[in-house]
Amino acid sequence: MAIPTAAPACVVLAHEDPVQVRRLVEALDPFPVFLHCDVRTPDDVHGAMTEGLPSRVRLLDRQRTGWARWENAAAEIAGYRAALAQTDATHVAVLTGSDYPLATPDEIRALLEAHRGRSFLITHPLPHPDWRGGGWSRFRYRHWAWRKHMLRLPVPRRLPRDVVLTGGSQMKLISREHAQAVLDVVDACPDLVRFWRRAWIADESLVPSILNSPALVPGFADEHVEHSPWYIGWDGTRMKSPPWLTTADAGRLLDRWTGAGDELPQVFARKFSTERSSDLLDLVDAAVGLRGQRRTEVTAP
């Protein structure tokens, strides 16, 4: 069997802003991309997002994704399945269409080569300090999302046995081995899938809970790094999603690719849009290009 390539296969979940999505796809070159576009995205937007993409981009079957919906987790799982079947990448990165890399491909490869078999994921076993009431109600009750509103059936249900309920980010950079472990659990435990269909914001808890449960994935505690490779510009206000990044964020953003002291770098960031962030992304591209050029000059014979 060939040795897996030290590179991420990138699962990108998108629903709007085709210019930004295509810019992201280009910035991820030469990594393989598995692109999911929300089935509710208008045909003209979907066409602008997907027509004429390079061969390293594969389209996932479209699902009705959206704010807080179970289908976000389902699309992520489908991305793992396609990435493992069609590439030999050592890791799988889960991004949204409003993300962007802060590092060159060589820098990302070097980070992954130094952490083969390990995932980058910050885990928050319940009680989660940032979730209301520690987050227990997300699981104890059945939920539905409707027009960015939470609908909850106020009848408690039994929590799954041998599962360490854990929160984490939708954005992940996990090892091939851990992605396969998630698929194995999902395929073997339909009862867990049924349970998470009605958990609140399943994509923030399904994969972290599976991986962080020793009964399901033994050894994960010693095989992951408690670090997020994403810079996210949370501003301290109570918002349902992070603020858009602009040129005012350039200094903080460009500091993150190296890490501070012994800290690991943040090689991705979010969130960006064509309307608000094009000038900032021009600066990012210029900085990344200069770093890559200097590295080539240093290593040239």
Side-chain angles (χ1 to χ4, degrees), residues 90-169:
T90 58
H91 291 74
V92 180
V94 181
L95 306 95
T96 72
S98 58
D99 293 8
Y100 206 74
L102 300 180
T104 67
D106 284 345
E107 290 166 348
I108 295 174
R109 288 193 191 99
L111 177 66
L112 301 186
E113 179 64 44
H115 295 85
R116 281 182 175 265
R118 305 187 74 188
S119 295
F120 297 88
L121 182 65
I122 294 179
T123 57
H124 291 288
L126 266 57
H128 190 316
D130 295 332
W131 288 353
R132 183 175 300 176
W136 295 106
S137 61
R138 289 186 176 219
F139 307 97
R140 179 64 73 183
Y141 303 98
R142 294 173 176 83
H143 293 85
W144 290 260
W146 181 74
R147 296 184 179 179
K148 288 205 171 185
H149 294 284
M150 179 181 71
L151 303 180
R152 174 183 293 169
L153 180 65
V155 178
R157 60 176 177 165
R158 183 175 299 174
L159 300 178
R161 295 180 59 187
D162 299 325
V163 176
V164 180
L165 296 175
T166 303
S169 175

Side-chain angles (χ1 to χ4, degrees), residues 1-5 87-90 116 176:
M1 180 178 178
I3 298 174
T5 304
T87 79
D88 66 350
T90 58
R116 281 182 175 265
R176 183 182 191 91

